[in-house]
Amino acid sequence: PAADVFGWLFGRYAFGSGVYAYNTVNAFNLYAMRQPFWQPDSTPLSFFGIAVGSLAGWGIALVAAATALIVGRYVQRKDERALLEGAMLCALAFFVLATRMHERYVYGAFLLAMPLVAFGRAGLWSSLVLTVTMYLNLAYSLAYQTVMEAHTPGVNATDLWPAISHPAAVANVLLFFWLGYLYLGGAESGALRQARGDSAVVQGGATDALSAVAARARAWFDPREGLAAMTRLDRLLAAGFTLASFVLCVLWVWLPNEKYFDEIYYARAGEEYLKNLNVSGWGPFEFTHPPLTKLLITLSMLLFGGLHGAGDTGLGWRFLNVVVGALMVGLIYAFAKRLTSSTLFASLAAVMLALDGFHFAQSRIATPEITVACLSLLTLYAFYRLWTATQVARRARPLSAQPARLAFAGTMAIGAVAAVGAWFLAPHLGPIMMGTDWLTAAQGVLAAWTLVLFWLIARTVVVPRVTAAAEVSYADGTRVIDDGPARAAATPEGEELPLGGSSRKPLFSVQSDGLKRTLDREGTLTFATPVATATYRADATAMVADATAGAGGATVLRADDARLWWCMLPLAGALLADSKWNGLFDFAVIWFIAALVGAQRWIRRPAVFGNPYGAPVDVIAAAMIVAGGIVYVLSYIPYFLQGHGFVDVVAMQHDMYRYHATLRATHPYASQWWQWPIMDKPILYWAKYTHTAAAGQPDCCVATIRALPNPFVWLFGLVSVPYVGWLAWTERNKGYALLIVAYLFQWLPWIGSPRLAFEYHFFPNLAIIVLANAIVLQRVWNYARERDLPYARYAVFAYAALVLAGFVYFYPIVSGAPITWDSWAQHMWNPHWI
């Protein structure tokens, strides 16, 4: 029996190897997911100051619990396959969950996984995953032995390959829990399904994961998405949360009244702007980032007297960053309301952001990160509003291609002449004080920007003026073309249908997979789904109604609604790019998604991720480049006033890039990209340590400002973000897809960064984590309501209380409030925080 075999293994290895009192001895298991190897497993664990046992004890308890579940399930099934699966899972549970583990103890699970290949894909994937992770584990152990025998200097022998060992450990843990889910009833065996008479038999006893996801991805989108407007109550709540966040962050923001961390660069830049505005030839000491955030700090100082009074103090440097942080709370409320259509969960999103220690700390330090994060959120929000507003769109369409081509070519020819003029104009745009090495680059930049400007003019102004037909496009990709006497509709399926006539019979009607699309002779398309119905009309309006609501509950859309967001998106993107270069990641997000949405026009099926003709990617990109160039140059006006010219600005951009590309520095709180989502190494910004213990009194004091996220918000993202990604695909949800693409684009490029990085480089993703958390909590709430589970709904309020408790508990750590050394030690849940 599997239980007897496992009992012998557990007794032999778990207790027999007790001399190695470590979490893991180079084994890729649960305890290697984020911690180095060779860490003591006897240290008492505490939760909110309450001792909950040692790591070793918890390891034994987890193995025992897993064994009980596996054996219990075998007793229910009692078939030969269950014996093999149960034995393999017991061996894998021992390796994954127990401490004091060597890499070789996975051999049993690996050997038992191989016969399971005969039973289907679950066994095949198990063998493949274990083959890879076991090979890497053995290679790691050999590398460890080599380092130890050679006494290699400067090498951390407890964590040689973090980019390999930690992800491989995650793979082993996920494999165990996935197989456990299947074994305990998450997916029934093929034999049981055949016995039950199901027509769809799943091979191997487990549903193929990819096939299951593809099968659940529906063929229609929810027309109601993104249409939940802010009510008067919502506006009051958003303003209230914004004000509350401001009050919370502004209290004692002037302490410490000294520059700390990178304030020595950015607050100094504010002082230099005020001192040197009329000094010819002056250049800023902090030149490695664009000027906008430094100008914001300068303005903040001016509000309190500039270099006099409170202007050149902690209050003056930091005040407007507090304002920006508070505005971010109001913005996330608006974004969450559009995503969830719920006042409750929009409020919960605002609470999660306002009560996050990372947001709190970044709002109270005069550095760019809070501005970058706020403008990143604004840019994504503006794009989402544009995306949803163009579900019905109108554009001019030429009767023939020739006039449009001539107009476009003529405009670009004028643009080419203007670009040549810009090439020769660049050297005369101010003095050249940094040398002429970058003159050619400056000429090329101005000429290229001029060409993009004329492209935008041609696409949005000139070509529409020479056309005689109007084209209205709908969210599914259907188009209605009206050229006066002739009117026709083009469906995504490639059909060209003439409109008009006296017949009442629909021109086009298709129903499948819960979706019914009907096109009448007036060009009106009805897009009916199980949850909502949208009626798109040839006058560029639409009406969206819930499937269970009457006409009184319908929402009206107009093509003109997109105009505001066509302006807001380029402006928000321009401000973001002028704050810090990593803001350009969101340019890539928007252009990537716009390109994919537009590509739907070449797929012969109804579009599910937005109107393919509503927001052309070239127009979006050109508008953002043009606006970005204007705002970027305007922010250098103080630099121009000191006698510099356009060529000097371009030369400075090269120096900025060279600085970051060649920086070879170290810092005790520098971290790697994979550490950020798991909260492994938050930054210590400021600390003051004193020892003033009186007789019989606790040792005092420690005061720190640490960019420490609220664990109950941040770590929840490890579950919520992947789940929202799955929902984005299966439910064809544009907002969810935007969050996931932005999360990845704002994170993964840092893998290849040539310079040292910090957790604040991941800070813009805090807003995405908060929004994903709110979406998942709403799903829990709705699930409980549909099944009449009131206690499950209380869990949402319990979570909100937990977020509040987490903020209160960690408040001294993120605010600089003094606490005793014992209390400080209790707050250090992870040794990497120290």
Side-chain angles (χ1 to χ4, degrees):
D4 290 345
V5 174
F6 177 75
W8 179 82
L9 287 170
F10 185 80
R12 168 65 180 84
Y13 291 118
F15 298 104
S17 61
V19 65
Y20 303 110
Y22 303 111
N23 61 349
T24 175
V25 186
N26 295 340
F28 292 176
N29 68 357
L30 177 67
Y31 309 98
M33 289 175 61
R34 68 178 182 87
Q35 289 185 331
F37 302 107
W38 300 91
Q39 304 300 309
D41 69 348
S42 57
T43 304
L45 302 178
S46 63
F47 186 75
F48 286 101
I50 302 174
V52 293
S54 67
L55 197 65
W58 276 100
I60 293 173
L62 289 174
V63 173
T67 304
L69 290 172
I70 294 166
V71 173
R73 179 58 172 160
Y74 169 71
V75 170
Q76 290 179 332
R77 290 175 54 180
K78 292 184 179 178
D79 58 87
E80 293 179 352
R81 178 180 170 184
L83 175 63
L84 274 175
E85 289 178 342
M88 185 269 185
L89 279 172
C90 283
L92 189 57
F94 171 59
F95 174 77
V96 166
L97 302 177
T99 62
R100 311 182 185 185
M101 191 55 51
H102 296 260
E103 78 289 339
R104 59 185 177 271
Y105 294 165
V106 76
Y107 290 174
F110 174 70
L111 291 173
L112 289 168
M114 295 175 71
L116 293 174
V117 173
F119 291 97
R121 296 185 179 181
L124 175 61
W125 281 109
S126 303
S127 296
L128 290 175
V129 171
L130 287 175
T131 296
V132 173
T133 58
M134 190 175 74
Y135 172 78
L136 293 173
N137 209 160
L138 293 173
Y140 181 94
S141 298
L142 180 60
Y144 172 81
Q145 179 181 350
T146 302
V147 167
M148 294 301 292
E149 291 179 351
H151 302 287
T152 307
V155 174
N156 181 8
T158 67
D159 203 11
L160 294 178
W161 301 344
I164 293 177
S165 60
H166 300 302
V170 170
N172 281 335
V173 173
L174 291 178
L175 176 66
F176 168 72
F177 282 102
W178 177 59
L179 293 176
Y181 165 75
L182 298 179
Y183 185 75
L184 296 175
E188 295 180 81
S189 68
L192 290 177
R193 291 175 66 93
Q194 284 178 324
R196 226 179 41 228
D198 290 1
S199 59
V201 178
V202 182
Q203 287 187 350
T207 304
D208 182 296
L210 294 177
S211 299
V213 170
R216 293 198 60 178
R218 61 197 189 192
W220 48 271
F221 62 90
D222 186 346
R224 301 168 301 177
E225 183 197 340
L227 302 184
M230 296 276 283
T231 64
R232 183 172 182 272
L233 175 61
D234 288 316
R235 289 190 288 270
L236 290 173
L237 286 172
F241 287 123
T242 300
L243 180 60
S245 176
F246 172 78
V247 172
L248 178 67
C249 292
V250 82
L251 294 175
W252 302 288
V253 70
W254 49 87
L255 299 176
N257 195 21
E258 61 183 89
K259 300 181 184 73
Y260 66 91
F261 201 70
D262 281 354
E263 285 186 337
I264 62 174
Y265 305 117
Y266 297 102
R268 170 179 171 168
E271 295 171 339
E272 289 180 339
Y273 274 123
L274 296 176
K275 290 177 182 177
N276 303 316
L277 192 60
N278 298 316
V279 178
S280 178
W282 168 79
F285 176 76
E286 204 304 301
F287 69 92
T288 64
H289 295 291
L292 182 64
T293 54
K294 289 170 281 188
L295 292 174
L296 186 68
I297 293 169
T298 305
L299 177 60
S300 183
M301 296 172 65
L302 283 171
L303 293 177
F304 293 90
L307 296 175
H308 308 285
D312 199 16
T313 66
L315 177 63
W317 306 324
R318 302 164 192 153
F319 179 78
L320 283 185
N321 272 16
V322 174
V323 173
V324 171
L327 292 175
M328 188 177 176
V329 172
L331 178 59
I332 208 166
Y333 183 101
F335 205 161
K337 179 62 188 289
R338 290 280 168 175
L339 289 172
T340 66
S341 303
S342 168
T343 296
L344 171 62
F345 290 97
S347 300
L348 189 55
V351 168
M352 282 189 281
L353 184 61
L355 296 182
D356 185 88
F358 206 171
H359 174 268
F360 179 85
Q362 294 300 157
S363 297
R364 292 161 53 90
I365 183 172
T367 58
E369 275 61 50
I370 190 66
T371 304
V372 173
C374 184
L375 291 175
S376 171
L377 184 64
L378 177 61
T379 302
L380 296 175
Y381 179 67
F383 176 67
Y384 181 59
R385 294 298 305 272
L386 177 65
W387 196 356
T388 54
T390 53
Q391 295 305 287
V392 57
R394 175 170 41 210
R395 67 174 182 173
R397 177 186 176 94
L399 285 174
S400 69
Q402 193 65 22
R405 289 173 181 171
L406 290 174
F408 184 82
T411 305
M412 292 309 298
I414 298 173
V417 173
V420 172
W423 177 279
F424 290 104
L425 177 64
H428 305 287
L429 295 178
I432 302 176
M433 302 184 68
M434 296 178 66
T436 59
D437 292 346
W438 291 94
L439 174 58
T440 303
Q443 291 173 308
V445 167
L446 189 58
W449 182 87
T450 302
L451 283 175
V452 175
L453 172 63
F454 275 84
W455 180 287
L456 183 64
I457 293 172
R459 290 281 280 117
T460 61
V461 179
V462 176
V463 172
R465 296 292 188 274
V466 300
T467 58
E471 176 183 289
V472 177
S473 53
Y474 303 152
D476 73 329
T478 298
R479 291 171 293 155
V480 174
I481 300 98
D482 186 355
D483 62 358
R487 298 174 69 237
T491 70
E493 289 81 1
E495 297 186 64
E496 298 281 347
L497 304 171
L499 300 177
S502 58
S503 173
R504 294 186 179 183
K505 183 179 179 181
L507 284 173
F508 181 87
S509 183
V510 177
Q511 183 171 1
S512 64
D513 298 326
L515 169 66
K516 183 176 182 180
R517 295 164 51 241
T518 304
L519 183 69
D520 68 17
R521 295 181 178 274
E522 294 300 316
T524 299
L525 173 73
T526 302
F527 187 93
T529 75
V531 297
T533 298
T535 304
Y536 301 100
R537 299 189 178 90
D539 61 355
T541 63
M543 181 174 289
V544 179
D546 190 284
T548 60
T555 301
V556 177
L557 302 178
R558 298 176 179 84
D560 293 342
D561 295 341
R563 289 180 178 177
L564 172 63
W565 304 107
W566 271 115
C567 298
M568 279 297 299
L569 175 60
L571 178 59
L575 294 173
L576 176 60
D578 200 17
S579 298
K580 218 172 182 182
W581 278 1
N582 58 299
L584 296 175
F585 293 157
D586 286 330
F587 278 53
V589 170
I590 291 164
W591 297 353
F592 175 74
I593 292 178
L596 292 183
V597 172
Q600 294 178 111
R601 67 181 69 179
W602 293 290
I603 301 174
R604 291 299 179 89
R605 66 181 184 188
V608 290
F609 279 110
N611 185 351
Y613 304 92
V617 63
D618 66 312
V619 178
I620 290 177
M624 295 179 73
I625 291 172
V626 169
I630 294 172
V631 171
Y632 205 87
V633 171
L634 289 177
S635 69
Y636 277 96
I637 287 178
Y639 191 58
F640 294 140
L641 293 177
Q642 274 103 35
H644 295 276
F646 179 74
V647 176
D648 288 349
V649 170
V650 173
M652 183 178 286
Q653 309 312 302
H654 168 262
D655 291 345
M656 290 164 60
Y657 171 78
R658 182 176 59 186
Y659 170 82
H660 294 290
T662 61
L663 178 62
R664 297 295 180 266
T666 60
H667 194 283
Y669 280 91
S671 54
Q672 299 184 53
W673 63 275
W674 57 267
Q675 294 177 290
W676 303 337
I678 59 176
M679 210 169 108
D680 193 50
K681 205 171 186 182
I683 314 164
L684 178 64
Y685 281 150
W686 177 86
K688 184 177 182 180
Y689 306 105
T690 57
H691 292 272
T692 58
Q697 299 297 320
D699 195 4
C700 184
C701 290
V702 181
T704 64
I705 297 177
R706 190 181 303 266
L708 181 69
N710 189 322
F712 305 112
V713 174
W714 191 266
L715 296 180
F716 190 11
L718 297 175
V719 175
S720 65
V721 171
Y723 180 65
V724 168
W726 181 73
L727 291 177
W729 174 252
T730 58
E731 297 184 358
R732 312 304 197 185
N733 189 289
K734 295 179 286 294
Y736 298 176
L738 175 62
L739 295 184
I740 300 307
V741 173
Y743 182 93
L744 296 176
F745 274 65
Q746 292 177 162
W747 175 36
L748 296 183
W750 290 106
I751 297 175
S753 174
R755 53 155 292 170
L756 79 167
F758 298 90
E759 191 185 33
Y760 65 65
H761 289 121
F762 193 72
F763 180 58
N765 274 346
L766 171 61
I768 294 176
I769 291 171
V770 165
L771 292 170
N773 291 352
I775 292 166
V776 171
L777 291 170
Q778 184 184 37
R779 297 297 173 122
V780 172
W781 178 277
N782 290 340
Y783 180 89
R785 182 177 59 186
E786 291 167 1
R787 288 158 179 78
D788 195 22
L789 302 172
Y791 294 105
R793 294 170 65 185
Y794 297 154
V796 174
F797 295 107
Y799 173 77
L802 194 62
V803 169
L804 174 61
F807 179 78
V808 172
Y809 178 75
F810 285 106
Y811 179 81
I813 301 298
V814 299
S815 67
I819 56 176
T820 66
W821 281 85
D822 288 342
S823 178
W824 172 83
Q826 291 176 359
H827 286 78
M828 296 296 102
W829 289 4
N830 184 334
H832 287 179
W833 295 2
I834 304 173

